[in-house]
Amino acid sequence: MTAPAAKPAAGTGSRSLRQAHPRYAEQLVKALLMIAALVSVATTIGIVIALIPPTVDFFQRVGVWEFLSGTVWTALFAEPEYGVLPLLAATLLITGIAVAVAIPVGLGAAIYLSEYAHPRTRKLLKPTLEVLAGIPTVVYGFFALAFVTPRLQDWWPFGGDGPEIKNALSAGLVMGVMIVPTIASLAEDAMAAVPRSLRDGAYALGSGRRTVAVRVVVPAALSGIVAAFVLGISRAIGETMIVLIAAGARPDLSWNPLHEMQTMTAFIAGAASGDVSTASFEYKTIFAVGAYLFVLTFVMNVISIRLVRKYREVYE
Amino acid sequence: MTPDRDRSPEPAPEAAAIDLPEPPAGAEEQEGRSMSLFSRRPGRPEASLDDPVFHLSDLDVWYGDHQAVRDVTMTIGRRQITAMIGPSGCGKSTVIRCLNRMNDLIPGARVVGKVSYHGENLYDPEVDPIEVRRRIGMVFQKPNPFPKSVYDNVAYGPRVNGMKGKLDDIVEEALTGAALWDEVKDNLKGSALALSGGQQQRLCIARAIAVRPEVVLMDEPCSALDPIATAKIEDLMAGLASEFTIVIVTHNMQQAARISDYTAFFTSDIDPAGVRHGRLVEYDATEKIFENPVDQRTEDYITGRFG
């Protein structure tokens, strides 16, 4: 190996430091991975593009204010009225019931799994919980209609007529149960990522488990926990099958959870699968409601990202 | 680094002249031992085990099926700085974590034998580990401030323990005690994570002393710090020892020699089955360990022939 050494210092020997061949495989892999990353972005853009023209058409005939503040929704009737409030009320009410169930239960489950459970218990319980997230929503919907609603009617202790056959309450409760695994699993991931050293520091100061969980782990994992909430709420707002089956198809602005009511998603699914002609004006109402739903979830996500940035405790 | 280091790491020349009874390895009570060799810090009492805080007897620690530490017997004196030194894997961190039951948090960890604290066995079933840790604080290897403000870090312990007194005063006192007050007093609401590593570690010390424990355990508190930050913490410990009993695990022999009153040397041996156990080789006044150790292994370690 004397030859390279004998060359002057400026030389690099027989082997150049320059790249011998272009690395095509590397570039191909990079391109493929980038395409994979772009698919979801492209889909979102595609949805927005698809929503805009029919929505614009719709608002040329129906005023924006009339749409947003109207209290009667009879879009598919002979003499239609386009007030979206009943659909919005049903969506918010059912989502509210679902979130009221899912956030405490989901967060509680996450804290239990991450801070209290024996490792063996966690190993068993977490996958079980995640299996729940894989149950098709149509099964949940049927469960709400065929099991929960009759039980509610039988046991209704508050007098009055009790829940109707289709009602917001049972749809909301079951939807809450449906999103518990999502929230619990993601929140647990966030808490498990909090460094052990922080817990040790808190325990060494004479904290009990509850204090460590509430004062140290949850604040440190807050951004992940809120992300879990947001994903859960987004699933609830967008959920269609449960509300279609268990909450019904009658727009109702009563805010009474015992009533049958139609959510925005249930209207879209019902109208789109009905016999509405694609050329008709009724068809465009679907897009208007869809666009409104899109804007609502988008705004909610933006607000929650802001909130998280403001309140989270960054470790490392 | 600091000019006012009041203890020299080099053995004093008169070392060999001292005539002391040879203590057994893992010495228990050592009565009225008076050491005048090293120039002791002004205001420091004599190194002494007359007033014991901890007494460990036949301590074994198991992690699952593995016996990590066997047969540790030693006494730790009140307001002394006791250093635990030894090569990696010798069990010194395991032993220090027994003193405030931090090992309870490791699944599968099991302690056999006795750790008595003022005569009460810490491992009695009736003893509440939370109460133990409230009185026996701990500072860890890597600074681990909470991702909160400087103020909230120090106030955490007093809040959780429902301490009486004005929180602002408790926080100021603890930060002053940890020699950090002047550096952070104008930015108490700033994030603790914006501090330097050395400041973070002093914050962790402030956080530990804010609940006014009797004992502060330090598990290699300087190993993640640069020499200047290390020197500051060593100075700080000398002051803290007038109020707290300090037990420190360190990899740094010079550090043990500089700051401690008593030194325990641990090592690990391999039994015929090939399993490694940590054990206490020699425990005595620091001067004795560094100048005139009884055990050959101690001498080999401190002179750098091993480890």
Side-chain angles (χ1 to χ4, degrees):
Chain A
M1 294 272 89
T2 53
K7 293 227 172 188
T12 50
S14 52
R15 282 178 58 99
S16 166
L17 284 177
R18 286 181 209 139
Q19 190 176 314
H21 332 273
R23 297 194 174 90
Y24 292 119
E26 193 64 46
Q27 285 167 4
L28 180 73
V29 167
K30 185 183 164 193
L32 286 175
L33 294 177
M34 198 171 93
I35 289 168
L38 286 179
V39 164
S40 60
V41 177
T43 311
T44 312
I45 294 171
I47 289 174
V48 173
I49 291 173
L51 281 174
I52 287 175
T55 307
V56 169
D57 283 354
F58 175 86
F59 283 116
Q60 274 167 358
R61 233 175 82 182
V62 179
V64 174
W65 184 246
E66 180 191 343
F67 175 74
L68 291 180
S69 66
T71 55
V72 180
W73 181 265
T74 51
L76 306 182
F77 286 23
E79 283 176 19
E81 287 198 52
Y82 301 103
V84 81
L85 277 182
L87 302 187
L88 180 68
T91 296
L92 294 182
L93 179 65
I94 293 175
T95 302
I97 295 169
V99 164
V101 171
I103 285 188
V105 177
L107 186 59
I111 291 176
Y112 171 74
L113 286 175
S114 147
E115 304 302 311
Y116 287 85
H118 190 274
R120 238 176 310 161
T121 317
R122 173 169 55 232
K123 247 180 162 168
L124 192 76
L125 216 55
K126 208 182 169 198
T128 315
L129 204 65
E130 281 162 352
V131 165
L132 268 183
I135 296 177
T137 55
V138 65
V139 176
Y140 280 108
F142 192 71
F143 174 68
L145 178 69
F147 182 82
V148 176
T149 298
R151 296 295 94 76
L152 281 176
Q153 287 175 324
D154 289 350
W155 298 336
W156 189 251
F158 304 113
D161 295 334
E164 298 175 6
I165 299 280
K166 302 216 173 182
N167 64 80
L169 181 61
S170 103
L173 292 176
V174 170
M175 194 192 280
V177 172
M178 179 194 80
I179 59 180
V180 161
T182 307
I183 291 182
S185 177
L186 289 174
E188 201 270 339
D189 288 344
M191 291 197 277
V194 172
R196 223 201 118 74
S197 64
L198 290 187
R199 290 186 182 85
D200 280 353
Y203 280 120
L205 288 164
S207 320
R209 283 187 192 276
R210 184 174 53 86
T211 317
V212 173
V214 172
R215 295 220 186 203
V216 175
V217 178
V218 168
L222 194 66
S223 62
I225 292 172
V226 173
F229 290 170
V230 170
L231 194 71
I233 296 169
S234 299
R235 278 198 70 187
I237 292 181
E239 168 49 36
T240 308
M241 219 57 206
I242 295 176
V243 290
L244 195 62
I245 295 175
R250 190 180 72 213
D252 177 305
L253 193 53
S254 67
W255 294 97
N256 182 343
L258 306 179
H259 283 191
E260 171 171 359
M261 48 183 70
Q262 187 176 41
T263 65
M264 298 164 82
T265 52
F267 168 76
I268 293 172
S273 59
D275 52 2
V276 178
S277 150
T278 54
S280 65
F281 185 76
E282 284 84 351
Y283 189 67
K284 297 198 168 78
T285 59
I286 299 172
F287 289 88
V289 174
Y292 192 29
L293 199 56
F294 185 92
V295 169
L296 281 181
T297 43
F298 183 78
V299 168
M300 194 191 76
N301 285 357
V302 168
I303 291 174
S304 49
I305 288 169
R306 288 259 168 114
L307 281 180
V308 166
R309 288 232 180 95
K310 193 166 171 196
Y311 291 108
R312 74 175 167 172
E313 295 182 342
V314 186
Y315 49 85
E316 287 315 309
Chain B
M1 283 301 148
T2 46
D4 58 340
R5 171 80 55 244
D6 42 22
R7 281 235 207 149
S8 149
E10 289 85 33
E14 316 92 296
I18 195 83
D19 183 23
L20 290 167
E22 295 214 330
E28 299 194 22
E29 290 291 306
Q30 305 197 354
E31 313 231 6
R33 173 68 51 83
S34 123
M35 280 290 164
S36 52
L37 293 176
F38 284 26
S39 54
R40 297 193 60 78
R41 273 175 244 107
R44 288 285 292 138
E46 296 293 287
S48 152
L49 297 177
D50 286 348
D51 187 1
V53 172
F54 289 105
H55 183 71
L56 288 64
S57 46
D58 304 323
L59 182 75
D60 297 337
V61 186
W62 297 76
Y63 293 126
D65 295 335
H66 174 232
Q67 186 172 14
V69 171
R70 68 166 39 159
D71 262 355
V72 173
T73 296
M74 67 189 285
T75 299
I76 292 170
R78 185 166 140 84
R79 294 188 183 168
Q80 302 289 311
I81 300 181
T82 304
M84 296 180 174
I85 61 170
S88 297
C90 68
K92 54 196 190 301
S93 285
T94 297
V95 170
I96 201 176
R97 291 171 70 95
C98 288
L99 301 181
N100 66 342
R101 294 194 50 173
M102 282 301 279
N103 279 332
D104 289 20
L105 303 171
I106 298 171
R110 194 157 52 84
V111 173
V112 183
K114 218 167 126 179
V115 180
S116 74
Y117 171 68
H118 294 298
E120 190 174 6
N121 186 4
L122 288 184
Y123 285 87
D124 261 355
E126 299 94 81
V127 168
D128 177 9
I130 291 171
E131 192 52 39
V132 170
R133 295 183 201 125
R134 157 84 181 72
R135 289 196 222 169
I136 303 168
M138 190 161 199
V139 175
F140 297 84
Q141 190 169 352
K142 211 176 126 238
N144 59 348
F146 300 133
K148 302 176 189 291
S149 70
V150 170
Y151 185 95
D152 286 340
N153 262 276
V154 183
Y156 176 93
R159 280 179 179 146
V160 165
N161 293 299
M163 268 171 72
K164 294 197 173 63
K166 210 164 154 268
L167 205 51
D168 289 0
D169 298 340
I170 296 173
V171 169
E172 179 174 347
E173 191 185 319
L175 285 169
T176 307
L180 188 59
W181 175 250
D182 289 337
E183 291 160 59
V184 299
K185 66 181 177 207
D186 298 322
N187 196 16
L188 290 174
K189 296 289 168 208
S191 167
L193 296 178
L195 301 178
S196 73
Q199 288 174 322
Q200 288 187 9
Q201 195 61 302
R202 276 179 284 146
L203 179 64
C204 292
I205 293 173
R207 187 175 71 180
I209 63 177
V211 295
R212 303 202 179 102
E214 183 189 0
V215 183
V216 179
L217 308 176
M218 299 188 172
D219 188 358
E220 298 189 41
C222 302
S223 65
L225 304 182
D226 65 49
I228 296 171
T230 299
K232 280 190 185 155
I233 297 218
E234 287 181 10
D235 286 346
L236 169 59
M237 273 190 261
L240 290 175
S242 64
E243 210 179 326
F244 304 97
T245 300
I246 295 178
V247 183
I248 176 174
V249 165
T250 175
H251 259 116
N252 179 336
M253 282 182 285
Q254 281 72 35
Q255 183 171 64
R258 280 193 296 266
I259 62 171
S260 69
D261 302 304
Y262 277 83
T263 297
F265 171 63
F266 289 79
T267 190
S268 57
D269 50 19
I270 298 176
D271 68 11
V275 183
R276 185 182 284 269
H277 309 288
R279 63 165 76 238
L280 176 63
V281 174
E282 191 168 352
Y283 176 54
D284 209 325
T286 299
E287 290 87 337
K288 171 84 171 124
I289 292 282
F290 280 89
E291 290 162 17
N292 193 14
V294 171
D295 197 289
Q296 186 62 39
R297 290 170 293 178
T298 313
E299 181 157 3
D300 288 350
Y301 185 74
I302 61 169
T303 54
R305 270 197 289 271
F306 150 66

